[in-house]
Amino acid sequence: MSNFKSVNPLALLVVLAVGVLAGWLLSGHSPTSTTAHEDMASHGEPEKKPLYWVAPMDPNFRRDKPGKSPMGMDLVPVYEDASAEKSGPGISIDPAIVANLGMRTAVARSGQLVPRIETVGYVEYDERGMTMVHTRAEGWIERLRVSAEGDPVKKGQPLFDLFSPKLVSAQQEYLTALKSGNDLLTKAARERLKSLGLSDSARARLERDHEVQERIVQYSPQSGVVETLAVREGMFVMPGTHTLTLANLDTAWVQVEIFERDAGQVQKGQQALARLDAYPGEVWEGQVDYVYPEVNPTTRTVRVRLAFPNTQLRLKPNMFARVEVETQARPSAVLVPSAAVIRSGTGSRVVVAHPDNRFEVLPVQLGMESGGQVEVLAGIDAGTVVVTSAQFLIDSEANIGAESTRMTTPDAMTDKMEMQP
């Protein structure tokens, strides 16, 4: 009786509690196993574990936990079992991510590409319609019949009056030869007048009136405008002195430059269209007049001369023009938007969109490009869906993913991410 009373009641209570807990655990009632079983039953499979998180706009930025990219965007998880879920080539992207990236696609189609070369240029005088006026005898300009550059002139219109002592002397010699009746002397005097620039009409008047003309009128050899006026009244001129230049504006030139790659498409006679800021909404129709034979070594461009009718004189030299040159249609080929092509030093490629949110990067061989479309000579067929925006991100992720698979083990990748801040 005394031994039973000496037992500590607290110790007895602890022994009893340990016994009850041991019996309950041995019966298989584990809280952990029950919770895991219920979780498996409710979800059907264990939750995926992200391998790492990557910036949407910079696949090189990786972290081992969620966060923000340097641009302030949420990091995107990449799961470790993504490779096990692949049912085809390429990479898989969650539909929500596709929507967040604003991804757009286009269908490759079969058709003919009509290359239209777009460039800019400036209006110039038609150099074939320009004439420089000179005197053949020295003298003084006593009367100037045109007053300023830009003045319109007609063919046969007087330009200026020239007083030349040498011409006066030559006329007197011619009259003397006529009176002598010596045909040889008369012919020589007539040739001298011609060499000094006396016109046939002035010589005929001299023969008719037998009066020396002290002032010889210089007439315009063509219609047009005065492009350059280099003399004034009272000025002394010598043979070869540039007095003025006349320009015909019935035809205007537009000088443009095209890229070297387009030089083989442009030929004389092709149609050209021009638009000028001075005449909104109007389109001027002309043609290729000449393709210059050399390439500018600095800009790598070829100069092309276009000719446009200008009977109303509305095209004025030095006006700025936007020009389109239409070339011959190309054979039928697969066409995709130019925005879908990823160009690099090693070649060109496109990102193909598959129906199951899978994307594949394929190399392509390109042909001509015009009007926002480019020919695909090899690589994809008509009807293929290509990505036209955000394709650079997919291309980078595909390259990085392939490199990780080839060169990095899971343990090494885990150690690398643990070292990143």
Side-chain angles (χ1 to χ4, degrees), residues 335-350:
L335 305 179
V336 299
S338 302
V341 180
I342 302 173
R343 295 177 172 86
S344 66
T346 58
S348 301
R349 52 193 181 273
V350 297

Side-chain angles (χ1 to χ4, degrees), residues 27-107:
S27 66
H29 295 84
S30 172
T32 303
S33 61
T34 302
T35 303
H37 177 74
E38 291 174 355
D39 184 69
M40 289 286 291
S42 61
H43 293 85
E45 61 181 7
E47 184 181 359
K48 301 177 184 178
K49 291 184 178 181
L51 185 61
Y52 57 90
W53 278 260
V54 64
M57 302 303 293
D58 184 8
N60 295 317
F61 185 85
R62 298 186 182 187
R63 291 294 181 267
D64 58 349
K65 59 184 178 181
K68 296 286 187 179
S69 72
M71 299 179 64
M73 303 175 65
D74 292 333
L75 299 181
V76 178
V78 177
Y79 296 98
E80 60 183 352
D81 60 345
S83 60
E85 296 177 355
K86 288 186 178 179
S87 58
I91 61 174
S92 178
I93 299 180
D94 188 273
I97 299 176
V98 173
N100 291 336
L101 293 176
M103 188 178 298
R104 295 189 297 271
T105 59
V107 180

Side-chain angles (χ1 to χ4, degrees), residues 204-273:
R205 186 166 59 252
L206 176 63
E207 293 176 352
R208 183 186 67 246
D209 300 338
H210 291 271
E211 292 183 1
V212 175
Q213 305 168 47
E214 293 186 354
R215 293 171 180 82
I216 303 300
V217 180
Q218 179 71 50
Y219 298 94
S220 174
Q222 68 173 50
S223 298
V225 297
V226 178
E227 192 269 337
T228 303
L229 181 60
V231 294
R232 289 293 182 264
E233 286 189 2
M235 183 174 176
F236 179 78
V237 295
M238 297 285 291
T241 300
H242 179 206
T243 59
L244 49 83
T245 301
L246 305 178
N248 191 325
L249 287 177
D250 290 342
T251 300
W253 284 354
V254 176
Q255 296 281 1
V256 301
E257 292 189 355
I258 62 174
F259 290 114
E260 181 181 358
R261 65 171 182 265
D262 298 326
Q265 306 177 50
V266 180
Q267 300 176 2
K268 182 178 180 179
Q270 291 176 335
Q271 185 181 25
L273 305 176

Side-chain angles (χ1 to χ4, degrees), residues 103-176:
M103 188 178 298
R104 295 189 297 271
T105 59
V107 180
R109 61 180 181 87
S110 179
Q112 281 187 314
L113 186 67
V114 181
R116 177 173 292 185
I117 301 173
E118 298 182 358
T119 182
V120 296
Y122 293 91
V123 179
E124 291 184 354
Y125 289 108
D126 183 349
E127 294 179 2
R128 291 172 299 193
M130 300 183 71
T131 302
M132 300 182 69
V133 179
H134 298 268
T135 62
R136 296 186 181 180
E138 60 186 37
W140 288 263
I141 295 178
E142 293 198 345
R143 183 181 178 187
L144 191 60
R145 306 289 186 102
V146 291
S147 58
E149 295 180 355
D151 285 354
V153 296
K154 298 291 185 181
K155 184 176 182 179
Q157 173 182 330
L159 298 176
F160 55 82
D161 297 350
L162 176 69
F163 171 70
S164 172
K166 185 175 290 188
L167 266 173
V168 171
S169 175
Q171 291 179 75
Q172 291 173 345
E173 291 177 1
Y174 183 63
L175 291 177
T176 302

Side-chain angles (χ1 to χ4, degrees), residues 128-420:
R128 291 172 299 193
M130 300 183 71
T131 302
M132 300 182 69
V133 179
H134 298 268
T135 62
R136 296 186 181 180
E138 60 186 37
W140 288 263
I141 295 178
E142 293 198 345
R143 183 181 178 187
L144 191 60
R145 306 289 186 102
V146 291
S147 58
E149 295 180 355
D151 285 354
V153 296
K154 298 291 185 181
K155 184 176 182 179
Q157 173 182 330
L159 298 176
F160 55 82
D161 297 350
L162 176 69
F163 171 70
S164 172
K166 185 175 290 188
L167 266 173
V168 171
S169 175
Q171 291 179 75
Q172 291 173 345
E173 291 177 1
Y174 183 63
L175 291 177
T176 302
L178 287 175
K179 291 178 181 180
S180 67
N182 188 326
D183 294 339
L184 186 60
L185 185 59
T186 301
K187 182 179 178 181
R190 184 186 300 114
E191 293 297 326
R192 185 164 185 264
L193 287 175
K194 186 176 180 179
S195 65
L196 291 175
L198 189 69
S199 64
D200 292 339
S201 59
R203 182 178 55 81
R205 186 166 59 252
L206 176 63
E207 293 176 352
R208 183 186 67 246
D209 300 338
H210 291 271
E211 292 183 1
V212 175
Q213 305 168 47
E214 293 186 354
R215 293 171 180 82
I216 303 300
V217 180
Q218 179 71 50
Y219 298 94
S220 174
Q222 68 173 50
S223 298
V225 297
V226 178
E227 192 269 337
T228 303
L229 181 60
V231 294
R232 289 293 182 264
E233 286 189 2
M235 183 174 176
F236 179 78
V237 295
M238 297 285 291
T241 300
H242 179 206
T243 59
L244 49 83
T245 301
L246 305 178
N248 191 325
L249 287 177
D250 290 342
T251 300
W253 284 354
V254 176
Q255 296 281 1
V256 301
E257 292 189 355
I258 62 174
F259 290 114
E260 181 181 358
R261 65 171 182 265
D262 298 326
Q265 306 177 50
V266 180
Q267 300 176 2
K268 182 178 180 179
Q270 291 176 335
Q271 185 181 25
L273 305 176
R275 295 174 174 83
L276 294 90
D277 294 338
Y279 309 108
E282 295 189 42
V283 179
W284 302 75
E285 295 185 3
Q287 65 179 9
V288 176
D289 186 68
Y290 185 68
V291 180
Y292 288 83
E294 62 180 3
V295 176
N296 187 314
T298 303
T299 61
R300 308 307 306 173
T301 56
V302 177
R303 195 155 59 104
V304 178
R305 186 175 70 217
L306 313 175
F308 292 85
N310 190 35
T311 55
Q312 298 181 356
L313 308 183
R314 300 178 67 198
L315 294 178
K316 305 181 186 305
N318 298 318
M319 276 186 169
F320 177 79
R322 294 182 296 275
V323 176
E324 295 178 2
V325 178
E326 296 183 356
T327 62
Q328 295 181 351
R330 303 271 298 173
S332 181
V334 177
L335 305 179
V336 299
S338 302
V341 180
I342 302 173
R343 295 177 172 86
S344 66
T346 58
S348 301
R349 52 193 181 273
V350 297
V351 177
V352 176
H354 295 288
D356 54 351
N357 289 322
R358 304 197 64 77
F359 299 88
E360 182 180 6
V361 181
L362 295 179
V364 292
Q365 180 182 353
L366 302 181
M368 295 298 303
E369 181 177 0
S370 177
Q373 298 286 316
V374 61
E375 293 177 336
V376 179
L377 304 181
I380 61 174
D381 299 323
T384 304
V385 180
V386 295
V387 179
T388 59
S389 66
Q391 70 269 34
F392 293 96
L393 174 63
I394 300 174
D395 178 62
S396 299
E397 184 62 28
N399 292 334
I400 293 174
E403 181 181 356
S404 300
T405 302
R406 293 192 303 267
M407 303 182 63
T408 308
T409 63
D411 292 338
M413 180 174 290
T414 302
D415 295 339
K416 180 179 179 180
M417 288 191 299
E418 290 177 352
M419 295 176 63
Q420 293 180 348

